[in-house]
Amino acid sequence: MSDFEIDIVIPWVYASDPEWLEERARYTGETAPRQAWFRDWGLLPYVFRGIETFAPWVRKVHFVTWGHLPDWLNTECEKLNIVKHEDYIPEAYLPTFNSNAIELNFHRIPDLAENFILFNDDVFIIAPLKPEDFYKKGLPRRYGIHTPDRIHKGDFFYYPLNNVAVINDHFNMRKSILAHPLKWFNPHYGISCLNTLIMLPFPAFYGFYKAHLPVPYQLKTYEQVWKAEPTILDQECRNHFRSSTGVNHWLIENWSVAEGSFYPQNKNYGRAFKAQDITPQNLDQVIDYIIHQKGKLTCINDGDIPEDFFDEAVSRLKDAFNKILPEKSRFER
């Protein structure tokens, strides 16, 4: 068992809340956000069931919300801490509909453990986990894999480049790798070590490998990055919505990798499924991964799943999760 406390943080939004939509519309003029970003799958109970069943060592779950709550949530659960935006985000940044502002201020959550894991509502624990799956030798587990980021159109996809630009103001890639070679050239990464080897002649970072799975953090790293880059973080948090010039929480993850404050993570401990996997042709492999618990974690990312397949996909996914997590958790009424 871990010799220190570990919390989980789950940000959540209920996009059908008329009050939330009304407040959002005051800043956008839109009456409805992009559906796929906020579509409710009804799978959130299985996030909590997985935590209780497969990660009972978690000290507390901090459920971050604009103010709305699922009807089924047991707010009296001793492990649950309901956190509204105004409870921890500075007033100057409110109201916010910017997920980056919500996540970049997590270190301000009252009673948050030094070690906390950022979950999303589309990430599920499907097999027993140990604290050592996230932290080892007092360090968060990371992927020390130098992976150049491809430039895409659209504001979201500029964030990795913006993050790396900040990292390169503080770190030299070659020096970072040579200072901790076994964290970069590690058997856990398999053939991906070649990515780093190929990029080694260059002095700057061009990108970091990311898995769309839970990310372990430490408060001290958040505080360190805020101290080093207060202006760029403040600017991002003052944006009511995400912008192409902003940074996100991966900057903090990248920082700990660049300075060597991490322990290598196994690439096979979980799997993220993207929208192209949630199709009539591919859904069987997703269901099989869950039911047969082929990994410890999975992410079911919505993306742009067609409306005419959405209900069927959700029904089949619920059946799959219910096979491994049939009992209500203490987080449910």
Side-chain angles (χ1 to χ4, degrees):
M1 287 293 291
S2 171
D3 59 356
F4 49 70
E5 295 177 326
I6 300 172
D7 287 355
I8 283 177
V9 180
I10 305 174
W12 181 76
V13 63
Y14 177 53
S16 296
D17 183 338
E19 293 183 15
W20 181 82
L21 286 170
E22 182 181 353
E23 182 170 49
R24 185 179 187 277
R26 284 202 290 268
Y27 294 88
T28 65
E30 302 173 357
T31 57
R34 181 185 173 193
Q35 179 71 8
W37 285 353
F38 301 105
R39 190 157 46 180
D40 184 14
W41 288 62
L43 298 177
L44 186 59
Y46 298 104
V47 176
F48 285 96
R49 291 185 192 185
I51 293 170
E52 180 169 285
T53 302
F54 298 129
W57 41 265
V58 169
R59 183 190 73 115
K60 188 171 290 188
V61 177
H62 303 270
F63 192 63
V64 177
T65 168
W66 176 82
H68 33 233
L69 295 171
D71 292 339
W72 51 264
L73 191 66
N74 176 18
T75 58
E76 301 300 317
C77 178
E78 69 280 3
K79 276 196 171 187
L80 180 66
N81 180 32
I82 304 297
V83 185
K84 296 182 180 180
H85 292 174
E86 61 264 30
D87 293 336
Y88 76 103
I89 299 176
E91 186 176 358
Y93 304 151
L94 296 175
T96 186
F97 308 93
N98 181 351
S99 60
N100 297 332
I102 293 167
E103 294 167 344
L104 287 169
N105 286 282
F106 279 160
H107 63 300
R108 308 182 199 276
I109 294 176
D111 191 36
L112 181 64
E114 169 64 28
N115 305 283
F116 66 95
I117 308 166
L118 170 56
F119 267 58
N120 284 314
D121 60 3
D122 59 357
V123 173
F124 307 87
I125 305 175
I126 60 174
L129 282 169
K130 298 178 181 179
E132 290 77 13
D133 287 313
F134 297 102
Y135 297 90
K136 194 162 184 178
K137 297 186 178 180
L139 296 171
R141 301 197 68 166
R142 299 263 187 267
Y143 302 98
I145 302 172
H146 190 181
T147 305
D149 283 305
R150 176 185 173 188
I151 300 176
H152 299 259
K153 290 178 66 177
D155 65 342
F156 177 81
F157 297 103
Y158 289 108
Y159 290 123
L161 302 179
N162 298 337
N163 294 339
V164 170
V166 175
I167 293 295
N168 284 326
D169 279 346
H170 296 270
F171 299 96
N172 175 285
M173 184 272 289
R174 192 183 302 118
K175 289 181 179 178
S176 292
I177 292 174
L178 295 179
H180 305 278
L182 296 182
K183 294 186 177 184
W184 290 88
F185 300 102
N186 193 281
H188 281 315
Y189 311 147
I191 197 171
S192 295
C193 289
L194 290 176
N195 291 3
T196 303
L197 185 63
I198 291 169
M199 299 304 298
L200 193 57
F202 300 92
F205 286 103
Y206 291 90
F208 297 83
Y209 176 85
K210 303 172 191 66
H212 198 101
L213 293 169
V215 185
Y217 280 115
Q218 294 182 312
L219 288 178
K220 62 183 179 183
T221 311
Y222 260 71
E223 292 163 355
Q224 184 180 4
V225 177
W226 268 93
K227 183 177 180 180
E229 289 287 351
T231 301
I232 195 169
L233 293 176
D234 178 73
Q235 289 174 342
E236 175 60 26
C237 292
R238 288 181 184 275
N239 293 330
H240 293 296
F241 301 91
R242 298 190 301 191
S243 69
S244 61
T245 59
V247 295
N248 61 10
H249 75 90
W250 289 102
L251 169 61
I252 298 168
E253 192 269 358
N254 296 167
W255 187 286
S256 62
V257 173
E259 72 173 5
S261 297
F262 72 99
Y263 191 91
Q265 176 61 283
N266 192 320
K267 282 189 70 178
N268 297 320
Y269 90 123
R271 180 174 176 181
F273 291 97
K274 300 180 181 179
Q276 56 263 37
D277 299 309
I278 315 299
T279 64
Q281 296 76 26
N282 298 331
L283 185 58
D284 282 345
Q285 69 171 322
V286 182
I287 301 297
D288 183 66
Y289 190 86
I290 296 168
I291 293 176
H292 293 101
Q293 299 169 289
K294 292 187 173 181
K296 296 183 178 184
L297 292 149
T298 188
C299 172
I300 310 295
N301 191 249
D302 191 337
D304 292 301
I305 298 169
E307 284 293 329
D308 59 359
F309 182 62
F310 180 75
D311 290 341
E312 179 185 342
V314 168
S315 177
R316 293 188 61 194
L317 287 167
K318 282 184 178 179
D319 288 344
F321 282 118
N322 207 49
K323 281 184 168 62
I324 62 171
L325 295 165
E327 303 296 330
K328 281 187 176 182
S329 69
R330 286 177 292 173
F331 297 97
E332 299 171 72
R333 296 182 189 274

